[in-house]
Amino acid sequence: MTDDQLVLGIDGGGTKTVARIARHDAPVAVLGEGRAGPSNWLTHGPEVAMQAVIAARDAAFKDAGIANHHANCTCIALAGAGSAAARATVVRHATAAGLADTIRVVHDAEPVLAAAFPDCIGIALLSGTGSIAFGRAADGTTARAGGHGAAAGDLGSAFAIASAAIRASIVTEPPDITDTRSVAALAPAVIAAAQSGNTAAAGILDDAARALAALVHDVARELALEAPIPLALAGGVLVGSESIRGLFTSALDLDHAPTTIVENPVDGCLRLAALPIKCP
């Protein structure tokens, strides 16, 4: 197989980076997958982020048994790379690293929409280490809310949940309180505390659910989407906790279609790499 037949999808966030390889004509048939550490462009910086991207890429090619670590097209979705300037910088670094002939960089919520809906119309809500909502209307207009970075106050994120719980003495702060990943990793303990009857923890989760609902409302209002609105959910907080999904749904006063859970946003990266014309 020649590299002009291959597409590479890379999805990076505050916890991990996942890369998958597929054929250009069959992006849903994954040939190999690789994982590496976090690659949030804003939090970890270009050098660390690109090291994770390259490590995940190399692991994916190794998993596929392909010696030449080069693809024809790649779509890279990185948390913290939402601005045009950041995306241009990622492209320069990725080009220098020889990731692919054609390189497309998007923020981390866009592939969630691409993975969930063939026409890429609707709203994607991602809540992991950070949080962001992104939507696209039928005319191609897009809007986003949140996505400023966990430490900058991504409401409803694992970092925000854990930070509130630390302040309330529900969980013990990690040795390095400045390490966003270590702080965010405490979110499951907060969820467990709420399920065990801790009213303060339950209040924190209620606040998080309302904050996430507000992000979706902001995007829906800006785009004036027709009901019922297609809605996709991704990220460890929403995918990993049925209780938070329930709280979020209750807080969401919006006419939406049944939610689509996206467990592997990297599949949306593959689709955007292989069929970019479908999701402009």
Side-chain angles (χ1 to χ4, degrees):
M1 183 181 300
T2 59
D3 59 11
D4 63 347
Q5 297 175 301
L6 299 176
V7 290
L8 173 66
I10 299 175
D11 176 54
T15 302
K16 64 182 182 299
T17 303
V18 181
R20 286 185 172 180
I21 305 166
R23 288 176 56 92
H24 191 281
D25 57 356
V28 297
V30 176
L31 301 175
E33 177 181 297
R35 292 176 177 252
S39 56
N40 185 302
W41 198 257
L42 191 63
T43 303
H44 298 93
E47 183 175 351
V48 171
M50 283 307 302
Q51 286 175 352
V53 165
I54 293 169
R57 184 274 311 265
D58 290 348
F61 273 96
K62 182 178 180 180
D63 184 48
I66 300 173
N68 182 17
H69 294 189
H70 186 79
N72 176 252
C73 301
T74 185
C75 177
I76 307 170
L78 295 184
S83 69
R87 292 195 298 271
T89 304
V90 176
V91 169
R92 288 198 298 272
H93 282 266
T95 300
L99 258 65
D101 296 326
T102 301
I103 297 170
R104 183 180 189 187
V105 178
V106 299
H107 58 72
D108 54 340
E110 189 160 355
V112 175
L113 201 61
F117 310 120
D119 58 5
C120 294
I121 296 172
I123 297 177
L125 175 66
L126 190 156
S127 177
T129 305
S131 61
I132 184 174
F134 171 78
R136 178 180 280 108
D139 64 359
T141 304
T142 63
R144 56 176 286 180
H148 305 297
D154 274 355
L155 300 178
S157 66
F159 182 85
I161 290 170
S163 296
I166 290 171
R167 292 192 296 271
S169 299
I170 297 170
V171 294
T172 303
E173 68 179 47
D176 184 2
I177 193 65
T178 65
D179 182 357
T180 56
R181 184 165 56 155
S182 296
V183 173
L186 297 173
V190 185
I191 296 170
Q195 292 172 338
S196 297
N198 187 308
T199 56
I204 289 172
L205 298 189
D206 282 337
D207 290 343
R210 285 195 294 269
L212 293 173
L215 294 179
V216 173
H217 275 284
D218 288 346
V219 172
R221 183 168 51 251
E222 184 171 345
L223 293 178
L225 293 173
E226 293 185 7
I229 298 172
L231 180 61
L233 306 179
V237 171
L238 288 166
V239 174
S241 173
E242 186 175 350
S243 62
I244 290 186
R245 288 201 305 274
L247 292 170
F248 163 75
T249 301
S250 297
L252 188 64
D253 183 18
L254 194 69
D255 184 2
H256 63 87
T259 55
T260 299
I261 305 298
V262 177
E263 296 187 8
N264 296 300
V266 67
D267 290 337
C269 293
L270 283 175
R271 185 166 184 273
L272 289 171
L275 303 169
I277 193 171
K278 296 291 185 180
C279 299

